[in-house]
Amino acid sequence: MDDNYYNQYIKACNQERTVTRYLNPEDINLPPGFTIEVYAEGLNEPSSLLFTDEGEMIIATSGYIFGYPSVSRLVDGRLGLISNQFHIPLIGITYHNGDIYVAHRGTVSVIRRDGTQEDIITGLPSFGDYSNSRVAFDIDNKMYFGIGTATNSGVVGADNLWVKDYPQFHDYPGDYIILNGQNFTSNNVLIKASHESTQTGAFSPFGEMNIPYETRKGVIKASGGVMRSNPDGSELELVSWGLRSISYMKFDQLNRLFLCNNGYDIRGSRPIANAPDEFHLLHPGLWYGWPDYASGQPVTSTIFRPAAGEPPQFLLTNHPNVPPAPYASFPPDATIVGFDFDNEGLFGPPGDVYIAEFGSIRPFTYTDVIPQYTNVGHRVSRIDMFTGSVTSFAVNRSGFPSYVTGGGGFGRPSDVVFGPDEAMYILDTGLNTLEDPNRFIPYTGVIWRVTRTS
């Protein structure tokens, strides 16, 4: 990317703008004894934040909407560029031993203390619906990250907008599997202006059919897999698989790895309804159920049947194990993303998790089901780590996101971090249009700051 062009973008972010967002902290409901304020505003599609050992705030910009993936330092409300040499989208950033690890499509890079940058892992299979996740480190200095699936539920179809660019791409299992042999009919999007249909089988390129008891070998870089390596990217190995869309992962003080896994959508050749979002404690070596289970339950259950159609059938004849139930569950369309542990018990019981719910990302073109705005998403929730129960911690008083009501509260919460000042920082990606949940209005990103008053 042209540095001069990007510097003009940074300059624009730091200048007065005519595009503004109405903000009113009083529109956000908090438990008694807490207060919220605007810490920074006017950001473009921020995706994650962190604090360094020196207390500096670092912000990542995804680039998915505006085309400017970056890592910047925020000082006195102004951005200072650290690096912009990344693929779109930039998923997230992690601070470890003085270095900043950056997860961007197909790649993990490291920005060192001296300002040098190196790609330490490349060639990850991230051309599909879901990319690789940000990384996390355990007490043994091992690096972990997730690889998202290529498809919603195992079958490439017309809903996969990447098919024309990567027609041979598909999902890959993490273990030896045997397929049932179903094939799914969809419009042949590879033929321009065509009304022809084609059939596609599971774990196969678009337009290639399965036969009963067809086999697939497991690969290390598996779809829906959790990977582990050394900090320099060497000795890459598969830890677990069977997760759909791993959006965030982090170790607690007991060196246990927790992660967010977003559930199936009602779309594509194999739509699945009512699939919860899942917060998991990772057990190495286990299969977590994708593409045949949701939240520990078989997708053949009637609860997962779309309004128009039959319940999905199993794609696999052999399931590696009975998938574990999640540690905590969230309603469909919550889209759980960044979270942090309240290790010091600043806001409640020590160790509880505070997690951002981004809200529905389903365009109306995916399904006739209207995206849910109330009672799910667009908030920060608390997970009681003793019981696994979930309660809302910070949510708009209206119950609706601010891009629906025009209110001054949350739009799209995407990350939660406890800062060195004992405050909670909530990253709000911004306001999207009602027509398209993935189209954001420029300069509407916000950082909120929550403090305890009693």
Side-chain angles (χ1 to χ4, degrees), residues 155-160 163 183-191 194-201 205-208 268-270:
V155 182
V156 182
D159 61 311
N160 302 120
V163 169
N183 293 293
F184 301 83
T185 302
S186 64
N187 183 49
N188 192 345
V189 296
L190 296 181
I191 301 177
S194 171
H195 297 290
E196 294 183 16
S197 62
T198 189
Q199 289 191 306
T200 304
F206 185 69
E208 292 192 12
S269 300
R270 188 172 177 255

Side-chain angles (χ1 to χ4, degrees), residues 260 279 330 336-339 353-357 379-381 383 416:
C260 299
F279 184 78
F330 290 75
I336 52 176
V337 276
F339 65 86
V353 164
Y354 292 81
I355 186 167
E357 296 186 34
R379 70 192 64 203
V380 172
S381 292
I383 303 175
V416 175

Side-chain angles (χ1 to χ4, degrees), residues 7-8 49 87 181 234 247 303 350 356 358 382 384 401 411 444 450 453:
N7 287 334
Q8 292 175 10
L49 66 83
H87 305 302
S234 62
S247 59
I303 191 175
F358 193 79
R382 180 179 70 88
D384 183 322
T444 58
V450 181
T453 58

Side-chain angles (χ1 to χ4, degrees), residues 48-52 57 93-95 134-136 247-253 256 258-260 279 330 336-357 379-385 391 393 413-427 450:
S48 62
L49 66 83
L50 59 79
F51 287 93
T52 67
M57 179 181 285
I93 51 178
T94 306
Y95 189 74
R134 71 180 82 181
V135 307
S247 59
Y248 191 92
M249 58 174 59
K250 193 169 188 176
F251 284 90
D252 70 359
Q253 290 187 312
R256 300 180 299 175
F258 289 87
L259 59 83
C260 299
F279 184 78
F330 290 75
I336 52 176
V337 276
F339 65 86
D340 202 1
F341 296 96
D342 183 10
N343 291 320
E344 305 302 322
L346 300 171
F347 282 27
D352 278 359
V353 164
Y354 292 81
I355 186 167
E357 296 186 34
R379 70 192 64 203
V380 172
S381 292
R382 180 179 70 88
I383 303 175
D384 183 322
M385 295 300 282
T391 55
F393 172 75
S414 55
D415 205 357
V416 175
V417 176
F418 283 96
D421 58 354
E422 299 187 347
M424 173 194 290
Y425 290 83
I426 302 169
L427 191 65
V450 181

